[in-house]
Amino acid sequence: MDNLSKRLLQASYALALTTAVATSAHAQSTRKDLQTGNKLFNQENYRASIPYYERVLAKDPNNATALFRAGVAYLSFDKEKASDYIYKAQKVKPKVSKDVEYWLGRVDHLNYNFDEAITHYQAYNATLKKRNDTRREEVAQLIQHSKNAKILFNSPKDIFVKNLGPTVNTQYSEHSPVISSDDRTLIFTTRANPTDIPGLDSKARNKTAADGEYYEGIVETHRIDSDNWEKPRSLSAALNSKGHDASDQLFDNDTKLLMYRSDEDGDVFVASKQTGGDWGAPTKLNSNINSKAYEGDAYITPDGLTLYFSTAKYSEDGNLDLYYSTRTAGGDWGTAKSLGSTINTKYDEDSPYISRDGKTLFFSSRGHNTMGDYDIFQSKYDSIGHKWGRPENMGYPINTPDADSYYRLAPDGTYAYLSSYRIGGYGEKDIYTISYIKNITVKGTVFSKRDSTQAIPGVELVFNGTQADKTAISFRDVTKEDGTYGVKVLSARTYQVAVNKDGKNIETQEFAVPISTNDSTSIVKNFYVDYIDTTSSGNGRFAKIYFDTDKYKLRPESVVALNNTAAILKANTGINISIEGNCDSRNTDEYNMVLGQNRADAAKKYLVKQGVASARLTTVSYGERRPAAPNDSPENMQLNRRDEFRVVLKEGEKMPVMQPATTTTTTIIAVPVKPAPPLPGKSKVRMADGTKVKTKVDEDSDKVKVKTKGPNGSKSKTVSKEGELDSKAKDASGQKAKVKIKPE
């Protein structure tokens, strides 16, 4: 808690105590609870004060004093509840405290309401009468924090922040993560109840500090898998003293531990592993590092020759600055030197950490352009000027409006650990990992929606999305001959995928890409679009034919398709085909197997009538077992009621190059003996070879007219009614033919 907050709490205590004594209307127990809560609150024992305030509020929900002070106490554990309590207190009693505007600013800032926070801070500043009031400077800084936070919050980084979960984190504070070189053991500091952690609760340790919280202790946990950890236990009885103990760094092949101990207001110690694996008693670093002032977090470079640490020794107002000390191999630590005014500010700097290559300094600061409290910054080393560069705020969501510190990279450098008090945690500070969101490979095939087995080449896919800061991003690929594509896109966002063919947009689909924190992840996404590729239809592709529900009689448009199939087979006498009957899922599997066979037989019978040898045609039924689309709509079920035609190849034989259908001087027109009654109305169909087919069915009779026009100029007209058929045709050379069929 900052200095201004502490002074305001002390000032408000006297007012609250007076209010408690003067409230004679309340029962004695209520006054006693309020007095006890205020006493604990004044001792900064906020967690212990809350139950007493809650007892008061259970009997008197509108007790403004209890609401206000409980709200301030909740700031360390539940920011949203703190906001509710303080706002309610002001509503009940607008002048519940002369500093209420300050506290409203605090809760609004911590809950990301930055404009409202600035308004409250400005209102509080107006109540400060003296021009030289030191609180003015602190309020000005808080206003600047809100302005900084607003800018950084509105320009987020593509970062994935992950809480280590309830096995590691508790309702109390967890911080100072230290990871082993194999990334399988995590050592950290906790203020959890020692009775809940094996080995931490001992008669030699005091349980609670002056603020009523449990003393800090060093614990360890081991990784189960990428997402789970074992239950923490005490690292060693030798490392956990009667007071505060905190972890800083493992070094020297994980055989030594740099740590903090609350000795002489706080000093840096080092402990070594003993034979057998336990830790020995820690020893204090020399007086060039430790002093009677506070020394806290520290870090030793990989070569073991430079120590970076935070200290209040050289500060007039007790704030922390970052210093470093060097030593020769086998020697002791030399005189400490400041990292300079580029790094250090008039506010606290703490938690130094150096990257493995020694070129980047990470640290926490309450100065610079922080979002509020501690933020994590990085500074690059200038090897020419031999100095650290201007610190850069690592941005949101690494940093938040509250305390963020103890940044430590994982051994492989792909992600980092940090400690943070942020909304969505388990209580006070929690330990998190942060990973940069990476690219992910999306691959698949583009199919025709009306023919789900037909892959479409030459389709352009454009993935349009935005980065976390709303900057537009776009990724593109074009399908290959087999209809496949592959594109790398930034993960963890939803894309609008524009599907284009021949320079025209077919459709746009929405596709959510899951998060990936490594560049090796790939997923499959097939696209089904409303497009039929006709570019290869003349090279021997046989058009499917479709059937009415529960029928196997041929439709008029199926006759035209089968005529084309017959012509191709006659031009390619060495090719045999399999006719495959399929159904939707309306009936039983056994029934559909029979219906599918009837559909395949109907097509075969017609092709034989057209002069195709029966021996070249085989039939098979798949019933409902090979759907072309899900059976979830009438349109999709229609796609499943079909015959497909597949070239039958001998083992090892490649698909032959098919010759186009030849044009003969004789036009053959034929229809099934018993044509199926089509649905009333008009329809237009363009076949794979470019032939246009128009069909008209009268509503009041079974009269059907079918007109065709081929790309080579051939034409035909067929009229059927009550089983009678009258057909006329003219081929490309101009030769005419007539056919009349009467019912038997």
Side-chain angles (χ1 to χ4, degrees):
M1 187 171 287
D2 56 48
N3 293 331
L4 179 55
S5 299
K6 291 180 179 178
R7 293 205 305 272
L8 295 180
L9 289 176
Q10 291 168 357
S12 66
Y13 171 68
L15 175 62
L17 187 60
T18 302
T19 303
V21 174
T23 313
S24 58
H26 290 296
Q28 179 67 28
S29 61
T30 301
R31 293 200 303 272
K32 186 176 180 179
D33 284 337
L34 191 57
Q35 289 173 337
T36 304
N38 289 337
K39 181 179 179 180
L40 293 168
F41 187 95
N42 194 52
Q43 296 170 350
E44 298 183 11
N45 193 346
Y46 305 120
R47 190 187 295 273
S49 71
I50 288 175
Y52 293 96
Y53 291 133
E54 291 290 6
R55 289 180 196 172
V56 174
L57 294 172
K59 300 174 184 177
D60 182 6
N62 291 322
N63 188 301
T65 300
L67 283 168
F68 174 72
R69 293 174 74 81
V72 174
Y74 271 121
L75 267 178
S76 297
F77 322 113
D78 190 330
K79 302 170 191 179
E80 293 173 292
K81 183 175 284 188
S83 179
D84 293 340
Y85 276 49
I86 296 175
Y87 263 99
K88 184 176 180 180
Q90 188 206 35
K91 184 177 180 180
V92 172
K93 187 177 181 181
K95 295 183 179 180
V96 62
S97 167
K98 63 180 181 180
D99 306 315
V100 66
E101 289 291 345
Y102 166 85
W103 291 105
L104 289 172
R106 292 284 293 143
V107 294
D108 274 334
H109 177 84
L110 295 175
N111 284 286
Y112 296 81
N113 302 316
F114 305 121
D115 288 333
E116 292 85 346
I118 292 172
T119 300
H120 287 302
Y121 286 142
Q122 290 172 337
Y124 175 69
N125 195 55
T127 66
L128 303 178
K129 304 302 182 183
K130 296 180 181 179
R131 291 186 178 181
N132 61 349
D133 194 324
T134 57
R135 290 176 292 179
R136 288 185 180 275
E137 181 180 352
E138 294 187 50
V139 172
Q141 185 198 21
L142 292 173
I143 291 174
Q144 187 59 51
H145 286 174
S146 291
K147 292 179 179 179
N148 296 339
K150 185 177 179 180
I151 293 172
L152 292 168
F153 178 74
N154 288 324
S155 303
K157 308 290 185 182
D158 271 302
I159 300 290
F160 177 58
V161 181
K162 179 182 176 183
N163 192 298
L164 260 61
T167 302
V168 172
N169 295 310
T170 69
Q171 61 178 306
Y172 303 97
S173 178
E174 279 75 38
H175 61 84
S176 302
V178 173
I179 192 71
S180 62
S181 56
D182 63 1
D183 200 12
R184 299 202 60 80
T185 299
L186 177 68
I187 297 172
F188 63 98
T189 304
T190 182
R191 296 196 76 175
N193 190 334
T195 60
D196 294 333
I197 300 176
L200 190 60
D201 186 26
S202 68
K203 294 181 180 179
R205 291 193 77 231
N206 292 329
K207 286 191 175 182
T208 56
D211 61 1
E213 298 283 319
Y214 298 110
Y215 277 104
E216 293 176 323
I218 304 175
V219 299
E220 69 174 345
T221 180
H222 301 281
R223 187 187 296 279
I224 298 174
D225 52 40
S226 59
D227 296 319
N228 297 287
W229 298 85
E230 293 177 353
K231 181 178 175 61
R233 61 180 178 84
S234 173
L235 181 61
S236 172
L239 301 184
N240 289 309
S241 65
K242 291 183 178 181
H244 292 298
D245 302 281
S247 48
D248 281 349
Q249 178 196 5
L250 276 173
F251 66 103
D252 202 4
N253 294 321
D254 296 347
T255 62
K256 295 181 180 179
L257 177 70
L258 207 61
M259 58 175 286
Y260 160 88
R261 176 165 283 181
S262 54
D263 185 72
E264 291 188 307
D265 200 29
D267 283 333
V268 180
F269 287 69
V270 63
S272 300
K273 270 192 176 180
Q274 307 297 300
T275 303
D278 198 10
W279 292 92
T283 58
K284 186 185 297 190
L285 301 189
N286 69 25
S287 59
N288 286 325
I289 307 301
N290 292 311
S291 68
K292 292 183 179 180
Y294 176 89
E295 282 80 34
D297 212 4
Y299 184 81
I300 295 178
T301 54
D303 61 10
L305 300 179
T306 305
L307 173 75
Y308 293 84
F309 66 104
S310 59
T311 178
K313 176 180 178 180
Y314 307 97
S315 173
E316 294 181 359
D317 54 10
N319 287 330
L320 298 176
D321 286 327
L322 296 182
Y323 279 70
Y324 72 98
S325 172
T326 59
R327 68 176 178 181
T328 58
D332 208 348
W333 298 109
T335 303
K337 298 178 181 179
S338 172
L339 265 65
S341 59
T342 301
I343 301 297
N344 292 317
T345 67
K346 59 193 284 187
Y347 306 102
D348 289 323
E349 274 72 45
D350 198 5
S351 188
Y353 172 78
I354 306 293
S355 61
R356 188 176 293 274
D357 61 8
K359 296 180 180 179
T360 306
L361 166 69
F362 300 94
F363 65 99
S364 298
S365 174
R366 285 190 168 119
H368 302 291
N369 63 325
T370 174
M371 293 179 71
D373 208 303
Y374 278 116
D375 270 11
I376 299 168
F377 292 81
Q378 64 176 345
S379 172
K380 301 291 184 180
Y381 188 72
D382 180 0
S383 58
I384 298 176
H386 301 289
K387 60 182 181 180
W388 292 104
R390 182 179 177 182
E392 175 188 351
N393 190 303
M394 295 190 71
Y396 177 82
I398 293 178
N399 291 314
T400 68
D402 213 313
D404 308 284
S405 55
Y406 306 107
Y407 180 92
R408 300 290 185 267
L409 283 168
D412 64 1
T414 60
Y415 67 100
Y417 294 83
L418 83 160
S419 179
S420 178
Y421 175 33
R422 61 182 67 202
I423 292 175
Y426 290 93
E428 295 184 57
K429 291 178 182 176
D430 282 351
I431 297 176
Y432 295 81
T433 57
I434 56 173
S435 308
Y436 284 88
I437 294 173
K438 300 296 183 66
N439 289 335
I440 191 169
T441 299
V442 182
K443 57 185 179 180
T445 307
V446 177
F447 293 102
S448 166
K449 188 183 296 182
R450 285 182 280 173
D451 181 357
S452 61
T453 63
Q454 182 184 6
I456 309 174
V459 176
E460 179 189 48
L461 300 171
V462 183
F463 289 70
N464 296 306
T466 59
Q467 296 183 130
D469 61 1
K470 306 304 180 184
T471 302
I473 51 176
S474 182
F475 305 91
R476 172 187 177 274
D477 195 24
V478 177
T479 58
K480 301 175 181 61
E481 285 298 320
D482 59 356
T484 61
Y485 75 96
V487 60
K488 271 201 168 186
V489 303
L490 190 60
S491 66
R493 65 211 63 241
T494 298
Y495 288 91
Q496 301 297 318
V497 185
V499 184
N500 307 317
K501 178 69 170 158
D502 301 326
K504 297 180 180 180
N505 178 255
I506 301 174
E507 62 187 55
T508 299
Q509 296 186 18
E510 189 172 86
F511 177 49
V513 176
I515 189 169
S516 174
T517 54
N518 63 75
D519 284 321
S520 61
T521 304
S522 65
I523 59 174
V524 175
K525 168 61 178 176
N526 294 327
F527 288 89
Y528 295 85
V529 298
D530 192 15
Y531 181 84
I532 295 291
D533 182 27
T534 60
T535 56
S536 61
S537 60
N539 193 26
R541 288 190 63 89
F542 300 102
K544 299 180 181 69
I545 61 173
Y546 295 92
F547 296 86
D548 293 333
T549 301
D550 204 30
K551 304 294 184 183
Y552 56 89
K553 293 181 180 180
L554 300 175
R555 295 175 176 175
E557 65 268 23
S558 298
V559 171
V560 178
L562 289 172
N563 284 340
N564 184 64
T565 297
I568 294 173
L569 290 173
K570 289 178 181 179
N572 298 271
T573 56
I575 290 178
N576 300 328
I577 65 170
S578 171
I579 306 172
E580 301 171 348
N582 297 270
C583 308
D584 61 32
S585 61
R586 293 177 190 267
N587 217 311
T588 65
D589 181 58
E590 293 79 9
Y591 179 90
N592 285 330
M593 289 297 291
V594 175
L595 180 60
Q597 186 63 52
N598 288 338
R599 287 172 174 172
D601 290 343
K604 177 181 179 179
K605 184 177 180 180
Y606 182 83
L607 291 173
V608 171
K609 281 184 174 289
Q610 296 297 278
V612 179
S614 176
R616 298 174 60 190
L617 308 173
T618 59
T619 61
V620 63
S621 171
Y622 289 109
E624 62 185 77
R625 300 175 186 180
R626 285 192 178 182
N631 288 286
D632 55 6
S633 68
E635 294 77 14
N636 282 347
M637 285 186 170
Q638 174 63 91
L639 295 176
N640 292 331
R641 298 192 300 271
R642 71 197 187 280
D643 276 350
E644 294 186 7
F645 304 87
R646 181 175 54 84
V647 176
V648 178
L649 300 175
K650 296 178 181 178
E651 185 175 355
E653 183 181 5
K654 295 182 178 180
M655 177 67 72
V657 177
M658 293 190 183
Q659 300 300 319
T662 57
T663 302
T664 63
T665 57
T666 304
T667 301
I668 301 175
I669 302 174
V671 294
V673 176
K674 296 181 180 180
L679 298 175
K682 297 180 180 180
S683 65
K684 294 181 180 180
V685 178
R686 186 183 181 91
M687 305 304 297
D689 65 348
T691 300
K692 298 178 181 178
V693 181
K694 294 182 179 179
T695 304
K696 180 180 179 182
V697 181
D698 288 351
E699 295 182 0
D700 300 324
S701 68
D702 64 347
K703 184 177 181 180
V704 179
K705 293 182 180 180
V706 180
K707 292 183 179 181
T708 68
K709 184 176 181 181
N712 57 359
S714 60
K715 297 180 180 179
S716 72
K717 179 180 179 181
T718 302
V719 179
S720 64
K721 182 178 181 181
E722 297 178 354
E724 183 175 343
L725 183 144
D726 188 357
S727 181
K728 299 178 181 179
K730 182 174 72 173
D731 63 18
S733 64
Q735 185 172 348
K736 299 179 180 179
K738 294 183 179 180
V739 176
K740 283 191 176 183
I741 299 176
K742 293 186 177 181
E744 298 178 356

